[in-house]
Amino acid sequence: TGQYFVSAIVAYTQTVNACHVGFNRNNSNPASNYDPWINMGSTKSAHHSAVIYLSAGDYINFVTYQSQGGTYALESHRTKATVRLLT
């Protein structure tokens, strides 16, 4: 239980439209005033980070999507997620 730094980085193998990356806690927003998504526009990569409160038993989902259409691969060594306890 405490404050955690949460970060997600995604990199597609080619440029996509509306490259989104985000995360949520227990399948919902981590806080009422928090936007769990960032839209980087037409690009190959996106990054999103925040400090959020987690309790014992909480879990984080990391997600990405694009509006290009079809299935696009992610760069295997450039797509990462980090969760670190701060307090």
Side-chain angles (χ1 to χ4, degrees):
T1 300
Q3 297 289 326
Y4 287 79
F5 172 76
V6 179
S7 176
I9 302 168
V10 297
Y12 286 89
T13 56
Q14 65 190 69
T15 299
V16 297
N17 289 334
C19 181
H20 287 75
V21 63
F23 44 84
N24 57 48
R25 179 186 64 204
N26 304 332
N27 283 329
S28 63
N29 281 355
S32 60
N33 61 347
Y34 172 77
D35 184 356
W37 291 101
I38 189 162
N39 177 355
M40 298 300 290
S42 293
T43 185
K44 288 179 68 172
S45 62
H47 172 261
H48 192 32
S49 60
V51 174
I52 61 174
Y53 183 83
L54 297 174
S55 296
D58 284 347
Y59 61 92
I60 300 290
N61 292 325
F62 294 93
V63 290
T64 183
Y65 71 92
Q66 44 78 20
S67 66
Q68 187 79 21
T71 302
Y72 289 85
L74 295 174
E75 295 277 357
S76 60
H77 298 291
R78 292 186 173 94
T79 300
K80 302 174 180 172
T82 302
V83 178
R84 297 283 187 254
L85 175 63
L86 299 177
T87 59

